[in-house]
Amino acid sequence: SGCIFISGAVEFDDRPGVVRDALASSVQTWLSALYRAVVLAKQCGHLHPLADEHQMAFEIHGLILALHYEARFLKIPGSIARANQGFENIIARFGAAPAVA
């Protein structure tokens, strides 16, 4: 149980070879998909026109890593609620202004 990509990153971060390369490729695919989703959200007008897509994707990824660490490894109560609040904060900062009716 747990995340093979997070565990693998810790285990293979400084060990060159095919396993590390495969894990890194998979994580890069995930990060590229996350970035594309942010870009698409911006293109659709859901994000502020000046929103930094790379920064937003980075913060979402960081939030996922923090959640995994606190909820799975440390078993800190309330971690999921804090992660949800963190995501809401990201959306509030990068989101487009609500349309005026």
Side-chain angles (χ1 to χ4, degrees):
S1 68
C3 179
I4 188 172
F5 303 106
I6 293 172
S7 300
V10 171
E11 185 67 27
F12 292 94
D13 64 340
D14 60 355
R15 292 173 47 189
V18 295
V19 173
R20 184 205 183 283
D21 294 345
L23 284 167
S25 178
S26 293
V27 170
Q28 190 57 51
T29 297
W30 151 247
L31 292 175
S32 294
L34 175 61
Y35 174 75
R36 284 192 314 273
V38 171
V39 168
L40 181 59
K42 186 174 177 180
Q43 290 172 348
C44 290
H46 300 298
L47 301 177
H48 190 278
L50 298 178
D52 182 336
E53 299 97 330
H54 289 286
Q55 184 64 34
M56 185 174 183
F58 179 87
E59 290 183 27
I60 292 170
H61 183 235
L63 191 59
I64 291 166
L65 295 176
L67 173 62
H68 189 273
Y69 194 85
E70 288 204 8
R72 302 262 325 156
F73 179 59
L74 298 174
K75 305 214 182 298
I76 296 175
S79 298
I80 293 173
R82 278 189 297 285
N84 286 333
Q85 183 61 56
F87 186 72
E88 291 296 325
N89 293 344
I90 291 169
I91 296 300
R93 230 175 49 254
F94 290 103
V100 177

